[in-house]
Amino acid sequence: MDTEYVGDDLVKTLFTHDEIQAKVEELARRIEKDYEGEELLIVGVLRGAVMIMADLARALNRHVEMDWMAVSSYGSGTKSSGVVRILKDLDTDVTGKHVLVVDEIIDSGLTLTWLTSNLNSRGPASIEIVTLLRKPEAVSMPVDVKYVGWDIPDEFVVGYGLDFNEKYRNLRDISTLAPHIYS
């Protein structure tokens, strides 16, 4: 969906679809180089990572295994609740595998800190994180992220998988949401 269909719901476009695709390609080249000769399991964090996971998997010029986890620390609000729950666990055994967790945004860092700790307890060969967006001002838990698309201000963003109350995920661009929508 193009931003014109949501009118006054958005303040400004941060990244266009073309800019996002170029960044995903750039991340894919780095990942290919770093995992050359290694088997790689990419794990998408549902639901927000659907878009980047699909585009990243297609951009990688190599075989990868894919799986999904669904975890939540938000509920229906705009800030983390502080409690992480597994809603859908992996179907794949990660023991001895190189795992690359794919997420669309790092906000507080709580979810990914918890998730990497959980996955580490399962005996992988390695765990790294790739995220399209990171809000350095909002991070309250240190998260070691190997691949970051962009650092952004601590604003509420939607599009390309990012939502507010399950809306706006299918926007092609990433934009800031107008405060009158979530206030």
Side-chain angles (χ1 to χ4, degrees):
M1 173 171 61
D2 290 324
T3 55
E4 65 190 66
Y5 294 105
V6 291
D8 295 336
D9 292 4
L10 306 176
V11 176
K12 66 182 174 189
T13 298
L14 295 178
F15 307 105
T16 66
H17 176 74
D18 290 342
E19 290 170 320
I20 295 166
Q21 294 310 304
K23 185 59 74 173
V24 171
E25 288 285 336
E26 176 188 313
L27 292 168
R29 298 300 74 80
R30 289 181 52 207
I31 291 164
E32 286 170 354
K33 182 181 175 207
D34 290 349
Y35 289 95
E36 187 174 342
E38 301 288 349
E39 289 190 24
L40 181 62
L41 169 65
I42 57 176
V43 174
V45 181
L46 291 171
R47 294 182 205 156
V50 168
M51 305 301 185
I52 187 173
M53 178 81 159
D55 287 346
L56 182 64
R58 286 189 297 249
L60 289 166
N61 294 316
R62 54 163 299 147
H63 292 291
V64 292
E65 191 175 349
M66 298 170 62
D67 204 343
W68 298 92
M69 282 189 86
V71 295
S72 176
S73 68
Y74 281 83
S76 64
T78 61
K79 297 288 183 191
S80 175
S81 68
V83 177
V84 179
R85 299 180 303 132
I86 293 179
L87 305 175
K88 186 237 176 267
D89 207 345
L90 294 174
D91 295 322
T92 307
D93 179 4
V94 301
T95 305
K97 296 188 179 190
H98 294 283
V99 177
L100 180 63
V101 176
V102 181
D103 206 357
E104 80 284 11
I105 191 166
I106 297 177
D107 218 333
S108 69
L110 172 70
T111 302
L112 279 178
T113 299
W114 183 91
L115 182 60
T116 55
S117 174
N118 180 285
L119 290 173
N120 261 322
S121 72
R122 302 178 192 199
S126 68
I127 294 180
E128 298 292 350
I129 299 169
V130 58
T131 186
L132 188 60
L133 305 173
R134 176 176 59 188
K135 295 180 180 179
E137 297 168 11
V139 174
S140 60
M141 304 274 306
V143 182
D144 185 20
V145 183
K146 186 165 188 174
Y147 309 98
V148 177
W150 293 285
D151 284 331
I152 63 169
D154 189 10
E155 299 175 315
F156 200 93
V157 292
V158 293
Y160 195 70
L162 298 152
D163 77 300
F164 174 67
N165 285 341
E166 296 304 321
K167 295 178 182 170
Y168 309 100
R169 283 192 199 278
N170 60 326
L171 287 170
R172 294 168 48 87
D173 301 336
I174 296 174
S175 301
T176 54
L177 190 63
H180 74 269
I181 300 297
Y182 59 86
S183 295

